Each structure stands twice: as structure tokens, then as C-alpha cells.
């Protein structure tokens, strides 16, 4: 059966000749990608025996019946609603609004205008990063995840999410036996599993993908076979375009790097995620979370408003349209579609472009030096903190899929001749993780306060905050977090001073900073390049970055289906957990 307008009731009887494809979406179009309708329309009626819409509907229904008969097990229950979450990684609310107004996401605009979906503002807390967002939304816990790459002083080890095993350890520590919102479901391209049985390209299961959802029946091979065919065609098209661009500009090395990334993420991975998710929807999987990475990757590489990032949004919009069509085709499964973003991005300049050296080298060369005085007997001991950097490398191999979050330049040194920015010398460890750099004083297993730092390194915090390319520095104190900005210290009770003066969302910014500095794994100092005199700065090589409190990073959105009531206002992703958990409990039984 098909779906009526709104997708709530099955279509009965023969479709009206006036009913267009948009009112009666079909799975063959989903699989074969839009242009098939135009191709069929070129055939005369005498050759096909059907009007174009009727022919496609016939093929659609034939495929539907085949898929349903090949399913294993009993048909899924019809007495509950099901959950589909589509995450557009890295998309801020402001960029979404621009994309809608300029019709760069035409289907999403149609969904909001014609189908009573609502877009609601959402603030995601600090750090503005995928791991912190997903652990809060999936398990309803406050994250102890201060950055995408950080150091755990108690276990004396780095946590680096693309590296095999790290994400799984973090997920187990946070979940603590709590039920995830994806129990019995599927997760595609996420950092954590959320309890999903079927995981594909999720960091927590990157070495050991779980489940058999994608390869369960013969229909899965149809999906995977079509991904291979379609991906090969698109790859050939992209290579042809690249050769033409190379002929015009044979010295564009960066263009070839981006081509490899685009083909891997935007062509192959996105198509696989879309079709695997489509199959899950046909099967009636209770909860599915798919994370589209295209925009985040392009925004890191070129900037959040660059034309290539905007082009990625158009492709994601088409994939969302495909998934929505499938939801309408299987109205008996009662899927509720949510579209959200985990964080935004700020347009940044790489720190090394400003200063000529990495942030770690600057700190060790210019600030941790003997002229500041020898550390006290209770402070760091051993070799003097002198100019020069001793590179620190983890013994474990870096993650193979780090490009999902735009760290390819840092994680594949054999390609680009660079090393990961985690450095240590004489009891001080510095990790550059984006627009944030975390400084740990290793002599103390517990986080230290600014008084401890002042005793051992007088004036250090102010000196860092005055340095080129530095926005502000956060530290702990007995009275709460301290923000050092351009040589002066400010408390969070000082609403009229510091880098956040005049912000309408000041309360949210201050709460995010408090949450961040209460994390045991947060650095003893957290240095931000956001709000630097030279503009927003990232301490790694990227033109778009996130982790900080700028409006574009902090404020995102969630699009909800008709008849759904979400918490309001949403000031932290932890508020989404109870709402999404109702689908697990079978309480969402009506529109």
C-alpha cells in the first residue's frame, strides 16, 4: 500500500491519474535516483502499456512485495511508532536558515512549508562537538568529553575518538547500564552506538561492526550492489570533471585531495547510508540514527559557507527526500522523522598561518621558559622547560576514518608529512583539538586551580591570553571558572566584560563554560582561538572549526514531525533523551 498526503493513511485502490509522484512517492525512484522518472517519461505509452506514473508505481509495488516476503521473522508490530533521526553533522541554525532562504535545500523547505514539520532552535552546550552531543542525547548523561581529542590524567592516556577502542571505552563509562535510544536499532556514521544492534562506521565499533542488518536477506545484496554500481558511475563523473579542472589548472594539489575526500564521503558513504537506512525502514527497525558527514567535512576543509559546503547540503537534502519517501511507503511502521544538527561551525584561520608555528611549539618556546622562574619544589621537576618541542606519539595506530571530522591532515603523516598535535615535556602536556587547546599539568591526577598554576608559573595565564592568535583562556578557581581575555581575568558573574560582552545568549554561554570546566578530563587550562584579535582561529589546519561558544557553533536546530511536542527551550541535548526514549518504551502510539 502507498501513503496519502501526510503519510498517515495507506492508499487504497488505483491511484488517481492526477496524482503526481510527489504525492505518491515510489521506492524505485529512491533506489535509482530521481532521473529514472524522466527516463521512463520518454517512452511512448504504446511501448510501456502504462502511463509513466503507473509504470513506476507498478515497479515500486513489485519490489515492495519482494522485500516484504524475503524478510525473516514475524512482521513488526503496528501498535507503536518508530524513530528515524537524521543528523546533518556540523550545520548551524544560521547556515540552515540561509540554505532554506536561498533554496539550497528545496525538499527541507517543502517539508516545513507543506507538511507541517517544525524547526525548533536548540543549543548544544560545550564543547560543541559530536561526541558530547551524542552521548547526552543517546544516554541522557552529562558528558565528561571536553574535546574530540583529550587526555585522561587518571588513566594517563589520550582519548582520540577515531582510534580503535577509544570511543567504545568512553561509551561504556558514560552509559553505566542506561538504556540507549537505539536499542534494537541501527546507527550509521555515529561516534557511539546508542545501544544499536546494527552499527556501520560508528567509531565505537569501527574495528568490529556489529549486527547483520545490512546483509540479512537477499534484498541487502540488491542495496549493496546498487551502491557499487551507482557509486562507480558517480566516481567516473567526478573524475572526469576533475581531469577537466586539472587541465585548466594543473597545479591545484588541494583539488585532488578534496576529490578523494568527496568521493569517499559524499558519494560512497552517503549513498550506502541512505540505502541501508531505506532498507531498515522497510524492515521496520524500531530506531535508526543516520549521521550525514558531507557538510561537516566540506566545512572543515573550506569553511562553513563555502560553495562546496553548500553543495554538500544539496546532496544531503536529496538523501533526506529519499528517506522521507520510504517512510511514506511504509506507513504501517509509523516512523517519525527528526532532522537535527549536533553543532555548528565557525569560519576559522589556521593558527600556523598567523604565527608560523603550532600552538604547542609556541607555548613551549615562548611561555614555559626558565625566565619565568624555576618551578617550585612541589611543582613540575626534572628537565627545565626550555625552547624546543619533544613530540609525543601514541603507540596505537591512528583512526582510519578520521577524515569524517576533517582531521585527515593530522592523522595520515605518511601522506602529508605532518604529525598529530599532542605534545608533552617535563610534566606538561598540550593537545590541540580544533579551536581549543588543552593544557594538562601531569604532576597532579586531579584538576588544578588557577592558584596552583599562579604559584608555579606566575603570570602564565595572562601571558597566554595576550599572545597572537589567542582568543581567551579558561581555568578553574574555588569560586568557579575564570576567563582570561587579552591580559585580564574575568569571572562568569561579570556580564559586561570579557569576550562575551553583549551576547544575548550570555546565560547559555556561561552555563556551557561551567559544564565544561566541571568535567574531570577537561584541561587545567583550555585555550580558545575563538574571539582572537586576528579573527576566529583553529589550532589545527582547518578553515571551519567547532568546540567553542561562538553563536555559529553553539546554536543549531531540530526539525520535528507534526503532532510532536518537544521540550522547550532546548538548552542542552540531554533534554532529547527522555523524548526519544519514549519510542523504546512503546509510548509513542499516535501522531
Amino acid at each position: 500500500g502507498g501513503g496519502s498526503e501526510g503519510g498517515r493513511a495507506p492508499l487504497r485502490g488505483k491511484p488517481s491519474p492526477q496524482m503526481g509522484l510527489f504525492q505518491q512517492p515510489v521506492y524505485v525512484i529512491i533506489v535509482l535516483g530521481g532521473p529514472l522518472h524522466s527516463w521512463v517519461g520518454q517512452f511512448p505509452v504504446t511501448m510501456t502499456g502504462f502511463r509513466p506514473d503507473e509504470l513506476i508505481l507498478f515497479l515500486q509495488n513489485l519490489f515492495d512485495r519482494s522485500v516484504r516476503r524475503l524478510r525473516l521473522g514475524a512482521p513488526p508490530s503496528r501498535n507503536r511508532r518508530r524513530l528515524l533521526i537524521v543528523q546533518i553533522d556540523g550545520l548551524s541554525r544560521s547556515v540552515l536558515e540561509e540554505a532554506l532562504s536561498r533554496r539550497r535545500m528545496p525538499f527541507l523547505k517543502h517539508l516545513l512549508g507543506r507538511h507541517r514539520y517544525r524547526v525548533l532552535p536548540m543549543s548544544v552546550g560545550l564543547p560543541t562537538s559530536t561526541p558530547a552531543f551524542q552521548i547526552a542525547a543517546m544516554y541522557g548523561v552529562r558528558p565528561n568529553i571536553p574535546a574530540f581529542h583529550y587526555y585522561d590524567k587518571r588513566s594517563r592516556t589520550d582519548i582520540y575518538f577515531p582510534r580503535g577502542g577509544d570511543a567504545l571505552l568512553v561509551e561504556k563509562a558514560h552509559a553505566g547500564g542506561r538504556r540507549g535510544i537505539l536499542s534494537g536499532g541501527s546507527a550509521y556514521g555515529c561516534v557511539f552506538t546508542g545501544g544499536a544492534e546494527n552499527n556501520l562506521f560508528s567509531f565505537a565499533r569501527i574495528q568490529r561492526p556489529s549486527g547483520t542488518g545490512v546483509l540479512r536477506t537477499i534484498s541487502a545484496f540488491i542495496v549493496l550492489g546498487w551502491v557499487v554500481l551507482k557509486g562507480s558511475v558517480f566516481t567516473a563523473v567526478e573524475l572526469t570533471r576533475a581531469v577537466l579542472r586539472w587541465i585548466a589548472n594543473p597545479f591545484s594539489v588541494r583539488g585532488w585531495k578534496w576529490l578523494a575526500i568527496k568521493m569517499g564521503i559524499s558519494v560512497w558513504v552517503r549513498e550506502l547510508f541512505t540505502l541501508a537506512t531505506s532498507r531498515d525502514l522497510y524492515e521496520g527497525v524500531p530506531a535508526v540514527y543516520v549521521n550525514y558527514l558531507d557538510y561537516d567535512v566540506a566545512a572543515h576543509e573550506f569553511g562553513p559557507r563555502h560553495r562546496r559546503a553548500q553543495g554538500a547540503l544539496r546532496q544531503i537534502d536529496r538523501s533526506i527526500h529519499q528517506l522521507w519517501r520510504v517512510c511514506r511507503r511504509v506507513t504501517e511502521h509509523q516512523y517519525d522523522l527528526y532532522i537535527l544538527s549536533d553543532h555548528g561551525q565557525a569560519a576559522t584561520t589556521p593558527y600556523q598561518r598567523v604565527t608560523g608555528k603550532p600552538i604547542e611549539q609556541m607555548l613551549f618556546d615562548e611561555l614555559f621558559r626558565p625566565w619565568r622562574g624555576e618551578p617550585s619544589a612541589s611543582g613540575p621537576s626534572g628537565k627545565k622547560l626550555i625552547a624546543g618541542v619533544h613530540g609525543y606519539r601514541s603507540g596505537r595506530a591512528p583512526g582510519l576514518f578520521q577524515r569524517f571530522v576533517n582531521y585527515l591532515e593530522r592523522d595520515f603523516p605518511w601522506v602529508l608529512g605532518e604529525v598529530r598535535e599532542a605534545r608533552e615535556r617535563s610534566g606538561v602536556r598540550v593537545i590541540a583539538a580544533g579551536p581549543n587547546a588543552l593544557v594538562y599539568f601531569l604532576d597532579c591526577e586531579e584538576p588544578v586551580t588557577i592558584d596552583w598554576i599562579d604559584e608555579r608559573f606566575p603570570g602564565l595565564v595572562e601571558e597566554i591570553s595576550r599572545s597572537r592568535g589567542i582568543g581567551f583562556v579558561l581555568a578553574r578557581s574555588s569560586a568557579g571558572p575564570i576567563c582570561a581575555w587579552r591580559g585580564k581575568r574575568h569571572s562568569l558573574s561579570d556580564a559586561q566584560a570579557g569576550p562575551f560582552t553583549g551576547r544575548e545568549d550570555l546565560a547559555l554561554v556561561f552555563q556551557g563554560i561551567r559544564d565544561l570546566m566541571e568535567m574531570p578530563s577537561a584541561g587545567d587550562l583550555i585555550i580558545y582561538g575563538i574571539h582572537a584579535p586576528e579573527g576566529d582561529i583553529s589550532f589545527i589546519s582547518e578553515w571551519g572549526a567547532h568546540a567553542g561558544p561562538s553563536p555559529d557553533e553553539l546554536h543549531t536546530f531540530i526539525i520535528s514531525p507534526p503532532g510532536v511536542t518537544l521540550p522547550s527551550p532546548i538548552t542542552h541535548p540531554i533534554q532529547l533523551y527522555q523524548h526519544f526514549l519514549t519510542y523504546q518504551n512503546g509510548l509513542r502510539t499516535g501522531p
Side-chain angles (χ1 to χ4, degrees), residues 482-512:
I482 295 295
C483 175
W485 180 59
R486 301 185 184 178
K488 295 182 63 177
R489 295 184 185 183
H490 304 277
S491 69
L492 297 192
S493 61
D494 186 0
Q496 300 303 317
F500 314 114
T501 301
R503 289 275 296 264
E504 295 181 358
D505 60 348
L506 195 62
L508 288 173
V509 173
F510 283 1
Q511 186 58 54

mmCIF file of all heavy atoms in Angstrom, residues 482-512:
data_model
loop_
_atom_site.group_PDB
_atom_site.id
_atom_site.type_symbol
_atom_site.label_atom_id
_atom_site.label_comp_id
_atom_site.label_asym_id
_atom_site.label_seq_id
_atom_site.Cartn_x
_atom_site.Cartn_y
_atom_site.Cartn_z
ATOM 1 N N ILE A 482 37.285 30.825 35.563
ATOM 2 C CA ILE A 482 37.892 32.125 35.288
ATOM 3 C C ILE A 482 38.184 32.202 33.793
ATOM 4 O O ILE A 482 38.672 31.238 33.194
ATOM 5 C CB ILE A 482 39.192 32.318 36.088
ATOM 6 C CG1 ILE A 482 38.892 32.348 37.582
ATOM 7 C CG2 ILE A 482 39.915 33.588 35.659
ATOM 8 C CD1 ILE A 482 38.065 33.523 38.039
ATOM 9 N N CYS A 483 37.883 33.335 33.183
ATOM 10 C CA CYS A 483 38.181 33.566 31.767
ATOM 11 C C CYS A 483 39.212 34.688 31.657
ATOM 12 O O CYS A 483 38.961 35.814 32.107
ATOM 13 C CB CYS A 483 36.908 33.939 31.020
ATOM 14 S SG CYS A 483 37.176 34.392 29.281
ATOM 15 N N ALA A 484 40.373 34.376 31.101
ATOM 16 C CA ALA A 484 41.407 35.385 30.863
ATOM 17 C C ALA A 484 41.318 35.817 29.404
ATOM 18 O O ALA A 484 41.385 34.981 28.498
ATOM 19 C CB ALA A 484 42.790 34.837 31.176
ATOM 20 N N TRP A 485 41.177 37.133 29.189
ATOM 21 C CA TRP A 485 40.986 37.670 27.844
ATOM 22 C C TRP A 485 41.831 38.921 27.685
ATOM 23 O O TRP A 485 41.693 39.888 28.435
ATOM 24 C CB TRP A 485 39.506 37.997 27.636
ATOM 25 C CG TRP A 485 39.153 38.559 26.299
ATOM 26 C CD1 TRP A 485 39.337 37.984 25.092
ATOM 27 C CD2 TRP A 485 38.531 39.828 26.037
ATOM 28 N NE1 TRP A 485 38.873 38.786 24.080
ATOM 29 C CE2 TRP A 485 38.367 39.931 24.643
ATOM 30 C CE3 TRP A 485 38.098 40.880 26.854
ATOM 31 C CZ2 TRP A 485 37.797 41.052 24.037
ATOM 32 C CZ3 TRP A 485 37.524 41.982 26.257
ATOM 33 C CH2 TRP A 485 37.370 42.070 24.860
ATOM 34 N N ARG A 486 42.782 38.848 26.756
ATOM 35 C CA ARG A 486 43.656 39.981 26.436
ATOM 36 C C ARG A 486 44.329 40.547 27.679
ATOM 37 O O ARG A 486 44.387 41.757 27.899
ATOM 38 C CB ARG A 486 42.877 41.051 25.690
ATOM 39 C CG ARG A 486 42.273 40.498 24.391
ATOM 40 C CD ARG A 486 41.594 41.533 23.539
ATOM 41 N NE ARG A 486 40.978 40.884 22.370
ATOM 42 C CZ ARG A 486 40.271 41.512 21.449
ATOM 43 N NH1 ARG A 486 40.082 42.824 21.549
ATOM 44 N NH2 ARG A 486 39.754 40.852 20.431
ATOM 45 N N GLY A 487 44.831 39.620 28.502
ATOM 46 C CA GLY A 487 45.640 40.024 29.648
ATOM 47 C C GLY A 487 44.876 40.304 30.919
ATOM 48 O O GLY A 487 45.494 40.624 31.938
ATOM 49 N N LYS A 488 43.547 40.185 30.917
ATOM 50 C CA LYS A 488 42.755 40.455 32.108
ATOM 51 C C LYS A 488 41.876 39.255 32.429
ATOM 52 O O LYS A 488 41.398 38.566 31.534
ATOM 53 C CB LYS A 488 41.883 41.702 31.912
ATOM 54 C CG LYS A 488 42.655 42.987 31.737
ATOM 55 C CD LYS A 488 41.721 44.185 31.606
ATOM 56 C CE LYS A 488 40.905 44.386 32.868
ATOM 57 N NZ LYS A 488 40.033 45.590 32.772
ATOM 58 N N ARG A 489 41.664 39.071 33.747
ATOM 59 C CA ARG A 489 40.829 37.960 34.197
ATOM 60 C C ARG A 489 39.403 38.447 34.445
ATOM 61 O O ARG A 489 39.186 39.544 34.948
ATOM 62 C CB ARG A 489 41.387 37.361 35.487
ATOM 63 C CG ARG A 489 42.748 36.722 35.321
ATOM 64 C CD ARG A 489 43.201 36.060 36.609
ATOM 65 N NE ARG A 489 44.552 35.544 36.478
ATOM 66 C CZ ARG A 489 45.189 34.857 37.421
ATOM 67 N NH1 ARG A 489 44.588 34.598 38.582
ATOM 68 N NH2 ARG A 489 46.422 34.424 37.223
ATOM 69 N N HIS A 490 38.448 37.555 34.111
ATOM 70 C CA HIS A 490 37.042 37.869 34.333
ATOM 71 C C HIS A 490 36.366 36.643 34.928
ATOM 72 O O HIS A 490 36.645 35.509 34.520
ATOM 73 C CB HIS A 490 36.343 38.236 33.028
ATOM 74 C CG HIS A 490 36.992 39.369 32.291
ATOM 75 N ND1 HIS A 490 36.753 40.691 32.575
ATOM 76 C CD2 HIS A 490 37.904 39.373 31.280
ATOM 77 C CE1 HIS A 490 37.453 41.462 31.781
ATOM 78 N NE2 HIS A 490 38.165 40.685 30.976
ATOM 79 N N SER A 491 35.474 36.856 35.868
ATOM 80 C CA SER A 491 34.645 35.778 36.385
ATOM 81 C C SER A 491 33.366 35.716 35.566
ATOM 82 O O SER A 491 33.003 36.673 34.875
ATOM 83 C CB SER A 491 34.316 36.007 37.861
ATOM 84 O OG SER A 491 33.432 37.113 37.997
ATOM 85 N N LEU A 492 32.671 34.608 35.661
ATOM 86 C CA LEU A 492 31.451 34.450 34.877
ATOM 87 C C LEU A 492 30.306 35.284 35.420
ATOM 88 O O LEU A 492 29.250 35.375 34.788
ATOM 89 C CB LEU A 492 31.037 32.977 34.820
ATOM 90 C CG LEU A 492 32.026 32.021 34.134
ATOM 91 C CD1 LEU A 492 31.370 30.677 33.884
ATOM 92 C CD2 LEU A 492 32.566 32.588 32.830
ATOM 93 N N SER A 493 30.497 35.895 36.570
ATOM 94 C CA SER A 493 29.471 36.803 37.087
ATOM 95 C C SER A 493 29.604 38.205 36.504
ATOM 96 O O SER A 493 28.728 39.044 36.685
ATOM 97 C CB SER A 493 29.561 36.889 38.618
ATOM 98 O OG SER A 493 30.834 37.395 39.008
ATOM 99 N N ASP A 494 30.700 38.432 35.769
ATOM 100 C CA ASP A 494 30.952 39.746 35.178
ATOM 101 C C ASP A 494 30.360 39.769 33.769
ATOM 102 O O ASP A 494 31.009 39.441 32.793
ATOM 103 C CB ASP A 494 32.456 40.027 35.141
ATOM 104 C CG ASP A 494 32.769 41.448 34.658
ATOM 105 O OD1 ASP A 494 31.809 42.191 34.359
ATOM 106 O OD2 ASP A 494 33.950 41.791 34.588
ATOM 107 N N ALA A 495 29.081 40.156 33.690
ATOM 108 C CA ALA A 495 28.364 40.058 32.419
ATOM 109 C C ALA A 495 28.750 41.148 31.429
ATOM 110 O O ALA A 495 28.428 41.058 30.250
ATOM 111 C CB ALA A 495 26.855 40.112 32.664
ATOM 112 N N GLN A 496 29.419 42.189 31.885
ATOM 113 C CA GLN A 496 29.712 43.312 30.998
ATOM 114 C C GLN A 496 31.180 43.361 30.589
ATOM 115 O O GLN A 496 31.653 44.391 30.125
ATOM 116 C CB GLN A 496 29.326 44.621 31.708
ATOM 117 C CG GLN A 496 27.856 44.697 32.084
ATOM 118 C CD GLN A 496 26.948 44.522 30.887
ATOM 119 O OE1 GLN A 496 27.192 45.077 29.816
ATOM 120 N NE2 GLN A 496 25.890 43.735 31.059
ATOM 121 N N ALA A 497 31.909 42.284 30.800
ATOM 122 C CA ALA A 497 33.331 42.295 30.446
ATOM 123 C C ALA A 497 33.702 40.982 29.775
ATOM 124 O O ALA A 497 32.951 40.006 29.798
ATOM 125 C CB ALA A 497 34.186 42.516 31.695
ATOM 126 N N GLY A 498 34.868 40.954 29.160
ATOM 127 C CA GLY A 498 35.346 39.742 28.537
ATOM 128 C C GLY A 498 34.880 39.611 27.103
ATOM 129 O O GLY A 498 34.228 40.496 26.546
ATOM 130 N N PRO A 499 35.184 38.464 26.485
ATOM 131 C CA PRO A 499 34.888 38.286 25.056
ATOM 132 C C PRO A 499 33.409 38.097 24.748
ATOM 133 O O PRO A 499 33.035 38.103 23.577
ATOM 134 C CB PRO A 499 35.681 37.020 24.705
ATOM 135 C CG PRO A 499 35.783 36.267 25.977
ATOM 136 C CD PRO A 499 35.874 37.298 27.060
ATOM 137 N N PHE A 500 32.565 37.936 25.760
ATOM 138 C CA PHE A 500 31.159 37.627 25.516
ATOM 139 C C PHE A 500 30.247 38.819 25.755
ATOM 140 O O PHE A 500 29.022 38.670 25.803
ATOM 141 C CB PHE A 500 30.722 36.460 26.409
ATOM 142 C CG PHE A 500 31.705 35.326 26.422
ATOM 143 C CD1 PHE A 500 32.394 35.001 27.581
ATOM 144 C CD2 PHE A 500 31.960 34.595 25.276
ATOM 145 C CE1 PHE A 500 33.314 33.975 27.589
ATOM 146 C CE2 PHE A 500 32.874 33.563 25.277
ATOM 147 C CZ PHE A 500 33.562 33.244 26.436
ATOM 148 N N THR A 501 30.828 39.998 25.901
ATOM 149 C CA THR A 501 30.040 41.195 26.172
ATOM 150 C C THR A 501 28.997 41.415 25.078
ATOM 151 O O THR A 501 29.295 41.345 23.888
ATOM 152 C CB THR A 501 30.958 42.427 26.255
ATOM 153 O OG1 THR A 501 31.908 42.209 27.294
ATOM 154 C CG2 THR A 501 30.162 43.682 26.549
ATOM 155 N N GLY A 502 27.770 41.685 25.500
ATOM 156 C CA GLY A 502 26.710 41.986 24.553
ATOM 157 C C GLY A 502 26.002 40.788 23.975
ATOM 158 O O GLY A 502 25.051 40.951 23.192
ATOM 159 N N ARG A 503 26.399 39.559 24.339
ATOM 160 C CA ARG A 503 25.744 38.364 23.797
ATOM 161 C C ARG A 503 24.347 38.226 24.386
ATOM 162 O O ARG A 503 24.152 38.267 25.602
ATOM 163 C CB ARG A 503 26.567 37.117 24.122
ATOM 164 C CG ARG A 503 27.880 36.975 23.376
ATOM 165 C CD ARG A 503 27.692 36.322 22.025
ATOM 166 N NE ARG A 503 27.219 34.964 22.096
ATOM 167 C CZ ARG A 503 28.010 33.880 22.053
ATOM 168 N NH1 ARG A 503 29.323 34.037 21.957
ATOM 169 N NH2 ARG A 503 27.500 32.660 22.086
ATOM 170 N N GLU A 504 23.360 38.017 23.532
ATOM 171 C CA GLU A 504 22.002 37.788 24.009
ATOM 172 C C GLU A 504 21.872 36.439 24.705
ATOM 173 O O GLU A 504 20.982 36.245 25.542
ATOM 174 C CB GLU A 504 21.019 37.871 22.843
ATOM 175 C CG GLU A 504 20.925 39.260 22.210
ATOM 176 C CD GLU A 504 19.930 39.304 21.071
ATOM 177 O OE1 GLU A 504 19.334 38.236 20.754
ATOM 178 O OE2 GLU A 504 19.730 40.384 20.494
ATOM 179 N N ASP A 505 22.738 35.506 24.364
ATOM 180 C CA ASP A 505 22.697 34.169 24.945
ATOM 181 C C ASP A 505 23.735 34.003 26.042
ATOM 182 O O ASP A 505 24.261 32.902 26.257
ATOM 183 C CB ASP A 505 22.914 33.123 23.862
ATOM 184 C CG ASP A 505 24.259 33.290 23.152
ATOM 185 O OD1 ASP A 505 24.915 34.341 23.341
ATOM 186 O OD2 ASP A 505 24.656 32.371 22.414
ATOM 187 N N LEU A 506 24.016 35.073 26.761
ATOM 188 C CA LEU A 506 25.098 35.066 27.751
ATOM 189 C C LEU A 506 24.896 33.967 28.791
ATOM 190 O O LEU A 506 25.858 33.288 29.185
ATOM 191 C CB LEU A 506 25.189 36.434 28.429
ATOM 192 C CG LEU A 506 26.478 36.705 29.218
ATOM 193 C CD1 LEU A 506 27.681 36.669 28.305
ATOM 194 C CD2 LEU A 506 26.382 38.055 29.926
ATOM 195 N N ALA A 507 23.675 33.766 29.259
ATOM 196 C CA ALA A 507 23.418 32.744 30.271
ATOM 197 C C ALA A 507 23.770 31.354 29.752
ATOM 198 O O ALA A 507 24.335 30.527 30.485
ATOM 199 C CB ALA A 507 21.956 32.793 30.710
ATOM 200 N N LEU A 508 23.464 31.081 28.479
ATOM 201 C CA LEU A 508 23.801 29.786 27.898
ATOM 202 C C LEU A 508 25.307 29.614 27.771
ATOM 203 O O LEU A 508 25.844 28.523 28.029
ATOM 204 C CB LEU A 508 23.145 29.635 26.524
ATOM 205 C CG LEU A 508 21.631 29.416 26.495
ATOM 206 C CD1 LEU A 508 21.119 29.458 25.059
ATOM 207 C CD2 LEU A 508 21.270 28.090 27.154
ATOM 208 N N VAL A 509 26.005 30.678 27.377
ATOM 209 C CA VAL A 509 27.458 30.608 27.248
ATOM 210 C C VAL A 509 28.093 30.322 28.603
ATOM 211 O O VAL A 509 28.954 29.436 28.735
ATOM 212 C CB VAL A 509 28.010 31.912 26.649
ATOM 213 C CG1 VAL A 509 29.537 31.900 26.668
ATOM 214 C CG2 VAL A 509 27.505 32.108 25.223
ATOM 215 N N PHE A 510 27.667 31.046 29.622
ATOM 216 C CA PHE A 510 28.235 30.860 30.947
ATOM 217 C C PHE A 510 27.941 29.458 31.483
ATOM 218 O O PHE A 510 28.803 28.826 32.097
ATOM 219 C CB PHE A 510 27.698 31.911 31.907
ATOM 220 C CG PHE A 510 28.340 33.267 31.734
ATOM 221 C CD1 PHE A 510 29.297 33.490 30.762
ATOM 222 C CD2 PHE A 510 27.983 34.323 32.555
ATOM 223 C CE1 PHE A 510 29.894 34.729 30.595
ATOM 224 C CE2 PHE A 510 28.572 35.577 32.399
ATOM 225 C CZ PHE A 510 29.520 35.783 31.417
ATOM 226 N N GLN A 511 26.729 28.952 31.259
ATOM 227 C CA GLN A 511 26.406 27.604 31.720
ATOM 228 C C GLN A 511 27.244 26.569 30.989
ATOM 229 O O GLN A 511 27.701 25.588 31.589
ATOM 230 C CB GLN A 511 24.917 27.319 31.521
ATOM 231 C CG GLN A 511 24.473 25.976 32.103
ATOM 232 C CD GLN A 511 24.754 25.876 33.583
ATOM 233 O OE1 GLN A 511 24.341 26.745 34.368
ATOM 234 N NE2 GLN A 511 25.465 24.830 33.991
ATOM 235 N N GLY A 512 27.456 26.779 29.689
ATOM 236 C CA GLY A 512 28.299 25.857 28.936
ATOM 237 C C GLY A 512 29.720 25.833 29.459
ATOM 238 O O GLY A 512 30.344 24.771 29.564
#
